[in-house]
Amino acid sequence: QVQLVESGGGLVQPGGSLRLSCAARGSSFRFNAMAWYRQVPGKEREMVARITGVGSPIYADSVKGRFTISTDNARSTLYLQMNGLKPDDTAVYYCNRYAGAMYPWGQGTQVTVSS
């Protein structure tokens, strides 16, 4: 069973930056069709960025120009570089597939943007 682990969240001021990481337990795992999602209380989980195996990222309008999704060369780790953070970016961030069978959701990593 794949266990997704998100990390890198924290408390930052508006305009600050964070770099989130997503990894799967198991050294031989290779990501494909992966995305970053976020969820806030009372709202549905939304996809904020996705990337294919050939590195063609797609972003939600709300984060376009500020967030960058990427993987390492081995496709063992998924990253989300978040710049120019806004209070509305406050959420729990998760990684998972965007196509095909979804993995079990990890615990997510909390991002809080506040002054």
Side-chain angles (χ1 to χ4, degrees):
Q1 182 178 3
V2 173
Q3 177 68 56
L4 298 173
V5 181
E6 300 93 346
S7 62
L11 174 63
V12 297
Q13 295 181 336
S17 298
L18 285 173
R19 182 176 173 86
L20 307 184
S21 298
C22 169
R25 296 277 176 83
S27 60
S28 63
F29 186 80
R30 296 290 185 274
F31 281 137
N32 72 88
M34 294 296 293
W36 283 99
Y37 303 80
R38 67 185 182 188
Q39 187 170 32
V40 299
K43 296 183 179 179
E44 296 182 353
R45 199 192 319 263
E46 65 169 336
M47 184 185 299
V48 297
R50 63 184 181 184
I51 191 170
T52 70
V54 296
S56 56
I58 299 175
Y59 301 95
D61 289 340
S62 59
V63 307
K64 192 175 300 181
R66 300 186 297 117
F67 290 9
T68 303
I69 187 172
S70 63
T71 62
D72 62 1
N73 290 333
R75 293 160 59 187
S76 61
T77 308
L78 183 72
Y79 302 101
L80 186 67
Q81 179 66 48
M82 305 185 296
N83 299 322
L85 284 164
K86 305 175 180 179
D88 285 347
D89 295 320
T90 296
V92 178
Y93 284 72
Y94 304 86
C95 61
N96 215 321
R97 289 175 170 171
Y98 65 83
M102 303 282 283
Y103 296 121
W105 294 100
Q107 82 285 354
T109 185
Q110 176 71 51
V111 172
T112 302
V113 185
S114 176
S115 59

